[in-house]
């Protein structure tokens, strides 16, 4: 008789992430996860409590990993030296390009985050811990957006944060979403998903152009913003 598979919550999360990326949350069942991982239904329920809790954990894990990468790329750009204004522009550009970098490292996670609304996985009856983790994630994202806004214009009011959000959330979604959610065979879901260089270059140009116009309202610092790399 074959030995039962070692209980591994990370394997369950990885498998669920791949299934959500391939067929959406409606295509994931406890029975399907058990078959794909070799674990019992009971072991999966024991680890996560319910399917909605499991799917919520899948989304939050991917979103936190993406934000970790985005924050690292921002810090690397800030640490390159040079003029502070130039470094801040490069940091915003790096934050905008983060989905393309993440897609190479975590293709299934990138596909899921770009193609599945979090409301589809994070329902109204989240366990308290997941709800707290979601709140913490939102605070982390707001802190990063505020950091970039302050670095650019010495202000982090709603108008300034909205411009940064346009640069690092809205424009990348528009530029990369089609490539990341294109139909793919099951074996391709976990393969590296490169975003073509043309899309990345055009996104960079768009972000640099947006940053040349200060946010509306009080001016804050209005330094000269370079539109191209030095």
């Amino acid at each position: 008789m074959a030995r039962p598979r070692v209980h591994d919550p990370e394997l369950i999360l990885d498998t669920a992430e791949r299934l959500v990326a391939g067929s959406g949350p409606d295509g994931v069942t406890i029975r399907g996860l058990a078959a794909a991982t070799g674990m019992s239904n009971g072991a999966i329920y024991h680890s996560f409590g319910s399917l909605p809790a499991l799917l919520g954990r899948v989304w939050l894990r991917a979103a936190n990993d993406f934000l970790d990468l985005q924050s690292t790329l921002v810090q690397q750009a800030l640490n390159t030296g040079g003029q502070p204004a130039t470094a801040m522009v490069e940091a915003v550009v790096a934050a905008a390009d983060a989905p393309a970098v993440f897609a190479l490292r975590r293709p299934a996670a990138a596909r899921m985050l770009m193609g599945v609304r979090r409301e589809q996985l994070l329902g109204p009856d989240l366990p308290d811990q997941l709800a707290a983790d979601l709140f913490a994630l939102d605070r982390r994202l707001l802190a990063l957006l505020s950091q970039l806004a302050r670095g650019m214009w010495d202000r982090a009011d709603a108008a300034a944060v909205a411009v940064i959000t346009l640069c690092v959330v809205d424009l990348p979604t528009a530029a990369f979403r089609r490539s990341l959610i294109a139909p793919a065979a099951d074996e391709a879901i976990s393969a590296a998903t490169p975003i073509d260089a043309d899309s990345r270059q055009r996104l960079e140009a768009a972000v640099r152009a947006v940053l040349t116009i200060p946010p509306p309202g009080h001016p804050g610092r209005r330094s000269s913003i370079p539109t191209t790399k030095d």
Side-chain angles (χ1 to χ4, degrees), residues 32-54:
L33 284 170
T37 60
M39 299 179 188
S40 67
N41 292 3
I44 297 174
Y45 278 116
H46 177 75
S47 293
F48 298 99
S50 68
L51 181 59
L54 190 160

Side-chain angles (χ1 to χ4, degrees), residues 204-218:
E204 178 180 342
V207 169
R208 292 182 185 279
V210 169
L211 293 177
T212 63
I213 305 173
H218 66 84

Side-chain angles (χ1 to χ4, degrees), residues 17 58-66 102 106 109 112-113:
E17 180 178 277
V58 168
W59 194 92
L60 281 165
R61 184 185 69 156
N64 271 301
D65 289 349
F66 170 74
F102 192 63
R106 293 276 303 281
M112 177 185 68
L113 291 176

Side-chain angles (χ1 to χ4, degrees), residues 66-157:
F66 170 74
L67 191 53
D68 287 343
L69 172 64
Q70 192 173 49
S71 299
T72 297
L73 294 174
V74 165
Q75 197 57 50
Q76 289 174 348
L78 293 175
N79 290 341
T80 56
Q83 295 296 320
T86 300
M88 283 308 310
V89 172
E90 299 309 319
V92 178
V93 169
D97 190 55
V101 179
F102 192 63
L104 291 172
R105 302 183 183 186
R106 293 276 303 281
R111 185 181 181 92
M112 177 185 68
L113 291 176
M114 192 65 76
V116 179
R117 298 190 312 274
R118 81 180 194 180
E119 292 80 9
Q120 293 178 265
L121 294 178
L122 302 173
D125 299 321
L126 277 182
D128 289 345
Q129 184 58 57
L130 276 179
D133 291 344
L134 177 60
F135 181 70
L137 174 71
D138 288 342
R139 287 179 64 87
R140 284 187 63 202
L141 176 58
L142 180 59
L144 178 63
L145 297 174
S146 299
Q147 174 193 355
L148 293 172
R150 286 194 187 92
M152 286 296 307
W153 302 294
D154 239 2
R155 49 186 284 201
D157 56 281

Side-chain angles (χ1 to χ4, degrees), residues 158-211:
V161 170
V163 175
I164 295 298
T165 302
L166 173 64
C167 290
V168 307
V169 178
D170 301 334
L171 289 176
T173 298
F176 299 152
R177 187 174 187 274
R178 182 176 299 177
S179 295
L180 286 177
I181 67 170
D186 184 65
E187 62 272 13
I189 295 297
S190 297
T193 307
I195 305 296
D196 64 272
D198 183 71
S199 295
R200 295 175 76 171
Q201 289 169 359
R202 292 180 187 279
L203 172 65
E204 178 180 342
V207 169
R208 292 182 185 279
V210 169
L211 293 177

